[in-house]
Amino acid sequence: MQKSRSRFLSAFLSVVMTAMMLPVQELSAATVITENKTGSEDGYDYELWKDTGTTSMTLTGGGTFSCEWSNINNALFRKGQKFDCTQTYKELGNIEVQYDVDYNPNGNSYLCVYGWTKEPLVEYYIVESWGTWRPPGATAIDTITVDGGTYDVYHTIRENQPSIIGETTFDQYWSVRTDKKTSGTISVDDHFAAWEALGLPMGKMYEVALCVEGYQSQGSATVKQFDILVGGEQTTQPTTEAPAQPDPDASGYYFYCPFESGMDSWTVRGEDSVERTQNAAYAGRSSLYVSGRTDAWNGAGYTLSTSTFQPGNAYSFSVMVMQNEASSEDFKLSLQYDLNGEANYATVAEGSGAKGEWIQLENTAFTIPSGASNLLLYVETNEGLTSFYMDEAMAAPKGTAYEGGGTVSGNGDINKDSTTNVTDIIALQKWLLGQNVTISNAEADLDNDGSVTAFDLAILKKGILTGFWDRPAEPETEPTTEPTTDAPEYVEGQWYNTADISWIDTSKPMVALSFDDGPVGTASSDTSIRIQDAISKNGFHATFFYWGNFINGSNEAEITRAHELGFEVANHTMSHPYLTNLSAAEVQNEINSCKSILTRLTGRDNFLIRPPYLSVNSTVQANAGAPLITCSVDSADWSGATAQDMINKIVAGMNDGSLDNSIVLMHETYTSTAEAVEYLAPYMKQQGWQIVTVSELFKANGKVMYDGQIYGNAR
């Protein structure tokens, strides 16, 4: 339903009387500003903000303006209405805008309705059109229909960033049109209502504005119409399209957690301790151990995404549990969720188990309550405080029964120590490289082909690090030849690349992110662990170049963790000198001193080298004993680049193809780098990119590396 211009102005003026207005100079029409400035014109608040470059904003009366920008890093132009943060959008009444913009971006930019709320602090965007990059690059949580248009909804979090109350952490909510539009009606509060229905609460209103933003681009825009209506009857209702149910993985699961390489995204719930252990397991070698519980509801929890586990739909859930303390214990698999602003709890499955007995908590048709949000699946007890083990957790489509996990069945114990773990990977790697290591051929022949090769190593890595043991069936007859013990053929100067690339799709673009100057530490809040988690949780790997003098008893576990997660551990020298200023013996000492520490922690003895300051000469090359890795993309985090600067650089390289098969230089020591990686890892996965180690990058491209040679990319 169209509203008249007079109705817009009448409603708008009624709000102006009570709105919070900044003490600024009133400007006449056609006033041009070129530098940062805020003010008001004809009852509309305006702002021009930039960090660098050339900008111009011409104020042409009412809500209209025109703008131009070039050679900027970031600039925004906006006009709108500010409020006093005392009323919610519901208390203000219906908020609607009509707009018409001649929008001409050249590069990264977007046209949107923009603003803030307080309590909670939220920065919001309703994006109508954009330039070369469609914001925000995260994974959509839902799709809504407003004013006949379809929008993807996103939720992002900004940590320690500038806001209307200073530098802090805040939420960002986004509605982004699936097709571009530069004129029409936007029912703003319909978006707000749809966000809140998805569990994204709005606070008290601070601002509603029409914004043109550009970054690292140039362009122009002419706002020919921008009218705001506040109050009056709501003319449309948001409708939420039911998103398509995602397909399960190749095994038929939405998630499967064998706990063979980590905690598989399960976390502490309450006052207790949750850790991976090999003291007991239902299948494979490991399980989760939950101990130190002070209440029955203390346990371990797993967050469910409503994009997969859609409210109103039924799913299958299962987990194996066992306790070794009481004669019997009652267990529950439960769901915590929010509904109508309140926390609710539902029992998914329950059962009793005797001491030492593994029992299954399973429900093959549990319905997620309609309207539920903030879903947390967790294991607890009915009343007791016993410690317990849990294993083989899974979720799948309705009616799917758990059919057992990936047991090792005796194979894989390469070093014959009665356990199958990362030390077996190390032993097999050394043997394949021709080192003097004794292995069990019978245990190492995982593909049952009568020989021990790199294919067996790939199976071993995948089994230990993911819990999936992709081995063929045992042969019906014994092999007619003895397993070979031949090591790979040695070629002078060639660096033997043992990277497992079985998980990489070589038809898709890939990039090697590399991180210098660690280790930092092992706390979940440490930048190093944030980077590891962001990359690992998206199924990717990266390379970490460690600084020997920084390694100590309090942080060396970061290195072993990286190694166990499948990341590449690499050498950044002992004291981080300019190697080009050293003698041949000094270069060797710098490299070998760090190498000996990394070997102790990982069991490997061949590491790529990142020369400090990327400084290399012929002496360094002749004495490196391994490939020298530089980069083709510098994140510039070391020189003050912000998280957004790094994101912009990477996204630009993705868009123009220059990032493909590149090595990116980063540092694990910066908060800005951790923030950038936390954004980029899921975004790149969504866009079909792969983050790989340097060794994986070269092997996937069929490239051979040689000792002492310099490599900045795999093109």
Side-chain angles (χ1 to χ4, degrees), residues 363-666:
N363 187 334
T364 60
F366 176 79
T367 300
I368 307 294
S370 296
S373 62
N374 298 326
L375 310 180
L376 181 71
L377 186 73
Y378 64 98
V379 178
E380 59 180 339
T381 56
N382 193 39
E383 294 181 351
L385 302 180
T386 58
S387 301
F388 60 86
Y389 300 89
M390 52 183 290
D391 202 0
E392 297 295 291
M394 75 86 172
K398 176 183 176 181
T400 303
Y402 168 71
E403 296 180 352
T407 58
V408 178
S409 305
N411 283 344
D413 184 13
I414 307 300
N415 58 10
K416 299 298 289 182
D417 63 355
S418 300
T419 61
T420 301
N421 54 31
V422 71
T423 61
D424 296 293
I425 296 176
I426 294 168
L428 186 53
Q429 284 176 331
K430 288 184 174 181
W431 184 86
L432 289 170
L433 290 171
Q435 299 179 25
N436 186 21
V437 177
T438 300
I439 68 169
S440 167
N441 287 336
E443 294 290 328
D445 184 17
L446 292 167
D447 60 4
N448 301 312
D449 68 349
S451 62
V452 178
T453 68
F455 292 107
D456 299 297
L457 177 62
I459 294 171
L460 182 66
K461 281 185 175 181
K462 185 173 184 181
I464 290 174
L465 299 177
T466 71
F468 290 99
W469 293 81
D470 295 336
R471 297 173 297 176
E474 296 287 340
E476 296 181 0
T477 59
E478 293 294 322
T480 58
T481 58
E482 291 296 319
T484 180
T485 58
D486 293 335
E489 180 183 359
Y490 179 76
V491 177
E492 182 69 30
Q494 180 175 327
W495 191 76
Y496 281 98
N497 191 340
T498 59
D500 174 17
I501 61 171
S502 60
W503 66 276
I504 297 174
D505 184 349
T506 56
S507 68
K508 293 182 179 180
M510 66 188 79
V511 63
L513 300 187
S514 61
F515 301 88
D516 288 4
D517 291 358
V520 173
T522 57
S524 60
S525 58
D526 285 339
T527 50
S528 53
I529 301 304
R530 289 173 59 187
I531 290 168
Q532 285 186 12
D533 285 348
I535 295 172
S536 180
K537 287 178 181 178
N538 285 280
F540 296 139
H541 300 155
T543 299
F544 292 82
F545 290 91
Y546 288 108
W547 182 338
N549 280 345
F550 279 4
I551 303 171
N552 57 54
S554 67
N555 61 29
E556 65 183 22
E558 175 198 321
I559 300 175
T560 56
R561 182 182 194 265
H563 181 66
E564 292 176 359
L565 287 172
F567 295 126
E568 182 170 34
V569 172
N571 190 331
H572 201 33
T573 74
M574 194 67 189
S575 65
H576 203 272
Y578 277 95
L579 294 177
T580 51
N581 294 334
L582 304 183
S583 67
E586 290 171 331
V587 169
Q588 292 178 18
N589 183 61
E590 280 289 333
I591 292 171
N592 291 333
S593 295
C594 182
K595 175 181 176 180
S596 66
I597 299 174
L598 299 180
T599 296
R600 173 176 62 82
L601 295 174
T602 67
R604 293 183 56 221
D605 65 354
N606 56 332
F607 304 94
L608 297 175
I609 298 167
R610 166 71 52 73
Y613 315 106
L614 307 184
S615 180
V616 177
N617 62 13
S618 59
T619 301
V620 176
Q621 290 184 268
N623 292 277
L628 297 163
I629 307 304
T630 57
C631 69
S632 52
V633 177
D634 182 1
S635 70
D637 53 2
W638 55 273
S639 65
T642 66
Q644 192 61 55
D645 293 335
M646 288 181 263
I647 291 168
N648 293 345
K649 180 176 288 188
I650 295 297
V651 171
M654 293 169 63
N655 289 339
D656 63 22
S658 63
L659 189 69
D660 194 14
N661 294 318
S662 292
I663 299 172
V664 179
L665 171 64
M666 308 181 95

Side-chain angles (χ1 to χ4, degrees), residues 220 513 692 715:
S220 65
L513 300 187
V692 301
R715 292 193 287 272

Side-chain angles (χ1 to χ4, degrees), residues 245-249 252-256 302 308-309 315-316 395-398:
Q245 179 67 51
D247 293 329
D249 63 20
Y253 298 133
Y254 290 124
F255 70 75
Y256 167 60
Y302 184 98
T308 298
F309 299 94
Y315 302 89
S316 177
K398 176 183 176 181

Side-chain angles (χ1 to χ4, degrees), residues 57-77:
M57 183 176 185
T58 302
L59 307 174
T60 51
T64 66
F65 65 93
S66 62
C67 59
E68 296 181 356
W69 68 96
S70 63
N71 300 317
I72 54 96
N73 181 61
N74 190 216
L76 62 85
F77 314 83

Side-chain angles (χ1 to χ4, degrees), residues 15-71:
V15 173
V16 171
M17 299 297 293
T18 58
M20 179 185 72
M21 301 301 297
L22 297 176
V24 292
Q25 179 183 3
E26 293 288 336
L27 298 175
S28 60
T31 298
V32 179
I33 54 178
T34 58
E35 301 297 330
N36 291 5
K37 189 177 184 65
T38 61
S40 67
E41 180 188 45
D42 296 340
Y44 282 82
D45 299 297
Y46 68 82
E47 178 175 7
L48 163 59
W49 178 90
K50 68 176 179 182
D51 49 13
T52 60
T54 302
T55 56
S56 174
M57 183 176 185
T58 302
L59 307 174
T60 51
T64 66
F65 65 93
S66 62
C67 59
E68 296 181 356
W69 68 96
S70 63
N71 300 317

Side-chain angles (χ1 to χ4, degrees), residues 154-170:
Y154 304 86
H155 177 207
T156 57
I157 298 175
R158 302 288 289 165
E159 295 184 356
N160 302 318
Q161 296 295 314
S163 75
I164 56 174
I165 62 172
E167 189 168 294
T168 188
T169 297
F170 53 87

